[in-house]
Amino acid sequence: MSDHDQVKMTQMNYDVKRPKAENPVKVMDLSLRDGHQSLFATRGRTEDMIPVAELMDQVGFWAVETWGGATFDTMHRFLNEDPWERIRTLKRYFKKTPFSMLLRAQNLVGYRNYADDVANAFMDRACENGMDIFRTFDALNDYRNFQTVVPKIKEYGKHFQGCICYTMTEPRLGGEVYNLDYYVNKAKDLEGMGADSVCVKDMAGLIAPYDAYAIVKALKAAVKVPIHLHSHFTSGMSPMSHLKAIEAGVDIIDTCMTPYAYRTSHAAIEPLIMALLGTNRDTGFDIKLMAQINEIFEKEVMPKYKHLLDDSKVSIIDINVLLHQTPGGMLSNLVNQLRDMDALDKIGEVYKELPRVRKDLGQIPLVTPTSQIVGIQTVNNVLFDTPEERYKMITGQVKDLCYGLYGKTAVPINEEVQKKALKGYDRGEEPITCRPAEVLEPEMEKAKAEIGDLAADMDDLVLYAIYPVTGKKFLQWKYGKEEVPAAVKPITMQQVKKQDELLKKAKAGELVEKKKDAPAKGESLRTFNVFVDNEHFEVGVDEVGGSPILKYAQQIQLSGGLPAAAPAMPAAPAAAPAAPAAAPAAAPAAAEKKADAAPAPAADTSGTPLAAPMPGMIVKYDKKEGDTVSAGETVVILEAMKMENALAAPASGTVKAIKYASGDSVAKGDVLCVIG
């Protein structure tokens, strides 16, 4: 028998002899949300999901996750896409597979708890735009934060999946806080709230196989609703944990298509299909259909995002996650932040400080937004603390956490840290004990008055209410009030091929100096960083006559690897990254914006400068030019990786020469204003 005949016979046996499983495990695919969020910074565009949508609809997934998490933020901020439109567009291609979204309870798709009127409006729009399953979690597992969103899910007849964020205080399941009783009691609470299913949400890949077995067995005995396991691959354990959970009777698991799997993403579905083939938990999925989908991903989609993939590590697992429990995407964010601050050598100190900060803040699970809250405060401590003073620069979100605006922590917050954080806090120095949203004033009417006619409908208004700074900027792009920057425009396969050709020439030593008669750079010029071994090339791509061409290549010789100051390829975070690391082309665009928005002032600029201690985005100035300030008084709010830092006046005097405006990106050391 020839090899061809052997393959054909194997396929026939696969098709004909495969019995239908008695209890097939259900699978939710995460490729179109958590997959690209984990691997390439949530930069997946809707146009690159359409080519596989109809094929994925044929697989038989229990659901596909298409929205929520960081997608809402990243789409409008970095991709110039309307988040609401993604649901409507993909619904035209997925005819039978339900859509799932990751909902951060009262945080919605943002990084703080929003007022009840915003939460109600958001839920109305999410349901009416076509979302089917709401995977709902709270970073502190404080289910009081479910009390507004869950009734809306039920009102629309949608599926409410209640989550338990999985974390540990010991190397394995156990201890005084996060033990088996903790998870069983949380599952009972969720079932009591009307959960249609319960999900163990292991966002950092911490759950060990035998712990997964124990938890699933216990939950199946304690509650009647289906049990769902979500476990990232980061530590390398999730495929084994999946199998043990399946043995224990888990109903649903999460996986990704192979091109979007592994590293800080999730285990791939294809090996599981074959592992369960012929068993009573057989998925029933067609491996040949999977191969067809994967080929499209590999050839038509992934090449557009390879510049965002983190290829700095050889290993596809990160065993350190078992030590610091930080989700992989958040860790990538921390590395990028330290690199931008010329402090990458401090990463070891960050690893050591992170568990201390987490313990100080109530031993909270590390998931959006608490992973950012703990992570950025850790970086601040490492960079700004002195031997005499800890917590020298406390973020606004840590202050909110200490006040109780995120909910109740599993164990009490360190009293000294809490007292320091709340000193002079604008809401009061005594923490609250009620449901956080009860102290929040309604926000929708204020948002409507602020945005005015720029918001054409309720979708626009909700977007602005959740993201007032970047949301307004997006709406200005959407309705032609501002020109769309090149940095947020999609790239084409033609551009990818041009870049690949340049790389090929660079490796062959065929790059030549630019000609003296090269044309002037046009307005559509986009700049890319290209790295070949230890050499860095800055490549300009200019669209001429509708077709992008390579316009120049400037080689920068590097020795001994990349210095800290060199532009770095962005890594792939689980949560959306800070504005300065948006894309390879972001830096030139930001520089042009600064030049336009902040001409050198004619007024006297002598005095003490207030410089940005880290890269970030200006949220707002609390003071205006001419205001009198005292040393230590807040002048400007700087957002770094979604966390807000109140920057204080370095001296008493008058505010002079404000350099930037709300929404502007700044680098470390940029002078934000002068106090004279």
Side-chain angles (χ1 to χ4, degrees):
M1 184 181 292
S2 68
D3 290 344
H4 175 74
D5 290 337
Q6 184 68 47
V7 170
K8 191 172 182 180
M9 181 64 70
T10 300
Q11 290 177 343
M12 289 175 61
N13 290 338
Y14 173 83
D15 293 333
V16 175
K17 297 184 178 181
R18 187 181 188 185
K20 182 175 176 60
E22 297 175 9
N23 181 26
V25 64
K26 298 180 176 64
V27 178
M28 183 159 83
D29 179 82
L30 308 182
S31 305
L32 305 185
R33 202 286 297 176
D34 207 354
H36 68 99
Q37 177 169 324
S38 297
L39 295 185
F40 48 94
T42 332
R43 296 303 198 271
R45 293 180 178 270
T46 306
E47 65 182 41
D48 292 321
M49 300 174 183
I50 291 173
V52 297
E54 291 179 325
L55 290 173
M56 289 182 70
D57 195 32
Q58 298 174 26
V59 172
F61 291 121
W62 179 75
V64 289
E65 189 181 53
T66 56
W67 210 63
T71 57
F72 196 96
D73 180 9
T74 304
M75 288 179 70
H76 84 272
R77 187 189 296 241
F78 298 131
L79 305 181
N80 189 33
E81 286 193 35
D82 189 328
W84 304 104
E85 184 57 41
R86 176 168 293 179
I87 307 175
R88 297 191 291 265
T89 298
L90 291 180
K91 271 290 182 180
R92 295 198 289 269
Y93 297 89
F94 284 93
K95 303 293 186 183
K96 53 189 178 182
T97 309
F99 279 8
S100 177
M101 76 162 288
L102 183 62
L103 177 69
R104 298 171 184 157
Q106 198 84 19
N107 283 191
L108 306 176
V109 286
Y111 304 96
R112 65 174 177 87
N113 277 340
Y114 295 90
D116 286 338
D117 62 339
V118 177
N120 280 319
F122 175 86
M123 295 303 297
D124 284 337
R125 298 311 305 142
C127 291
E128 291 169 9
N129 271 291
M131 196 49 59
D132 303 298
I133 297 167
F134 290 83
R135 168 173 282 175
T136 310
F137 79 94
D138 178 73
L140 303 183
N141 289 328
D142 184 346
Y143 298 145
R144 295 177 303 171
N145 289 322
F146 284 22
Q147 289 179 18
T148 300
V149 297
V150 167
K152 279 291 182 183
I153 299 171
K154 293 297 186 179
E155 176 186 331
Y156 282 88
K158 305 292 187 174
H159 184 109
F160 162 42
Q161 180 172 93
C163 289
I164 313 168
C165 293
Y166 184 80
T167 189
M168 301 183 295
T169 48
E170 306 290 334
R172 288 278 302 275
L173 177 66
E176 295 181 1
V177 183
Y178 300 110
N179 49 36
L180 197 56
D181 287 342
Y182 175 89
Y183 294 106
V184 168
N185 289 333
K186 289 295 181 183
K188 290 179 178 178
D189 289 343
L190 290 170
E191 187 175 51
M193 294 183 71
D196 299 295
S197 59
V198 168
C199 176
V200 177
K201 179 177 170 56
D202 175 25
M203 51 279 178
L206 303 176
I207 196 167
Y210 289 100
D211 291 342
Y213 184 92
I215 284 182
V216 171
K217 272 288 188 184
L219 296 187
K220 292 291 290 182
V223 298
K224 297 179 180 179
V225 296
I227 304 301
H228 194 148
L229 177 61
H230 168 99
S231 180
H232 282 253
F233 181 78
T234 315
S235 69
M237 291 196 294
S238 67
M240 296 181 285
S241 298
H242 284 162
L243 281 176
K244 292 303 294 182
I246 289 169
E247 288 179 10
V250 77
D251 299 282
I252 315 163
I253 61 168
D254 287 344
T255 60
C256 284
M257 302 296 294
T258 296
Y260 284 32
Y262 303 122
R263 297 191 181 272
T264 57
S265 181
H266 293 260
I269 177 58
E270 295 82 3
L272 190 70
I273 293 173
M274 302 311 296
L276 297 176
L277 190 68
T279 71
N280 69 332
R281 303 305 309 273
D282 191 338
T283 62
F285 294 172
D286 185 349
I287 195 70
K288 292 176 288 186
L289 176 58
M290 298 300 194
Q292 186 180 352
I293 296 169
N294 283 339
E295 186 173 10
I296 297 172
F297 274 133
E298 291 280 5
K299 293 182 178 180
E300 300 179 22
V301 177
M302 292 298 286
K304 297 181 182 180
Y305 302 100
K306 60 186 177 183
H307 64 288
L308 291 169
L309 296 173
D310 181 8
D311 58 359
S312 62
K313 292 184 66 176
V314 174
S315 175
I316 65 168
I317 70 171
D318 179 10
I319 201 65
N320 287 317
V321 74
L322 299 174
L323 305 177
H324 51 63
Q325 299 198 32
T326 309
M330 184 59 210
L331 193 61
S332 298
N333 273 347
L334 294 179
V335 169
N336 277 341
Q337 185 78 349
L338 289 169
R339 182 185 289 117
D340 289 342
M341 299 174 73
D342 299 336
L344 195 53
D345 60 310
K346 302 288 188 182
I347 187 65
E349 295 178 47
V350 169
Y351 286 154
K352 293 177 183 178
E353 175 71 1
L354 198 145
R356 292 194 289 263
V357 173
R358 182 189 177 217
K359 185 177 180 180
D360 284 343
L361 298 182
Q363 208 64 272
I364 54 181
L366 297 179
V367 62
T368 304
T370 51
S371 55
Q372 284 92 332
I373 292 173
V374 172
I376 300 308
Q377 188 58 55
T378 299
V379 170
N380 285 0
N381 285 5
V382 168
L383 296 182
F384 305 120
D385 282 2
T386 64
E388 298 77 26
E389 183 181 5
R390 276 174 56 74
Y391 290 91
K392 197 168 184 177
M393 180 182 288
I394 300 178
T395 69
Q397 281 68 29
V398 167
K399 295 176 182 179
D400 291 344
L401 178 73
C402 290
Y403 184 68
L405 280 187
Y406 285 93
K408 183 180 180 181
T409 57
V411 298
I413 294 172
N414 180 297
E415 288 185 11
E416 292 183 8
V417 173
Q418 188 172 41
K419 185 176 180 180
K420 183 170 185 178
L422 295 181
K423 184 178 180 180
Y425 183 69
D426 57 0
R427 291 180 179 272
E429 298 187 359
E430 188 67 28
I432 60 172
T433 57
C434 63
R435 182 176 72 96
E438 290 178 17
V439 302
L440 299 177
E441 295 293 330
E443 300 179 59
M444 289 297 288
E445 287 302 318
K446 179 183 176 184
K448 186 175 182 180
E450 289 174 347
I451 196 63
D453 294 339
L454 187 57
D457 53 27
M458 185 58 74
D459 287 350
D460 288 348
L461 181 57
V462 171
L463 189 154
Y464 173 77
I466 297 174
Y467 286 104
V469 177
T470 55
K472 181 178 181 180
K473 188 179 295 293
F474 167 73
L475 294 177
Q476 288 169 331
W477 296 341
K478 179 179 177 179
Y479 295 115
K481 305 296 183 181
E482 284 188 7
E483 184 177 351
V484 177
V488 301
K489 294 179 180 178
I491 63 173
T492 65
M493 283 301 296
Q494 185 178 9
Q495 288 172 291
V496 172
K497 290 176 181 177
K498 292 284 188 181
Q499 295 167 33
D500 288 345
E501 289 172 9
L502 179 72
L503 279 173
K504 185 177 180 181
K505 289 181 179 181
K507 289 180 177 179
E510 297 175 359
L511 284 178
V512 296
E513 294 183 2
K514 64 178 183 180
K515 297 179 181 179
K516 293 183 179 180
D517 58 351
K521 301 174 186 178
E523 293 182 356
S524 59
L525 180 74
R526 299 179 67 190
T527 305
F528 294 86
N529 291 324
V530 179
F531 298 92
V532 183
D533 296 326
N534 284 334
E535 292 184 321
H536 163 226
F537 301 89
E538 188 177 275
V539 181
V541 180
D542 199 2
E543 293 191 14
V544 178
S547 177
I549 64 168
L550 292 174
K551 192 167 183 182
Y552 68 90
Q554 177 186 2
Q555 183 174 356
I556 302 172
Q557 295 294 338
L558 305 176
S559 60
L562 294 176
M569 295 295 282
E592 290 170 10
K593 178 174 181 59
K594 282 189 273 184
D596 293 340
D604 175 22
T605 58
S606 60
T608 305
L610 172 58
M614 61 191 74
M617 181 185 73
I618 300 295
V619 176
K620 64 177 181 177
Y621 281 86
D622 278 359
K623 303 294 181 181
K624 60 182 182 297
E625 288 188 8
D627 284 353
T628 300
V629 296
S630 300
E633 192 175 357
T634 299
V635 176
V636 59
I637 305 296
L638 178 71
E639 178 199 271
M641 295 174 59
K642 316 302 181 213
M643 300 296 106
E644 295 181 359
N645 296 274
L647 304 186
S652 298
T654 302
V655 177
K656 299 179 180 179
I658 287 181
K659 299 285 188 178
Y660 300 94
S662 176
D664 285 352
S665 296
V666 297
K668 178 189 175 186
D670 282 352
V671 176
L672 308 182
C673 68
V674 175
I675 311 296

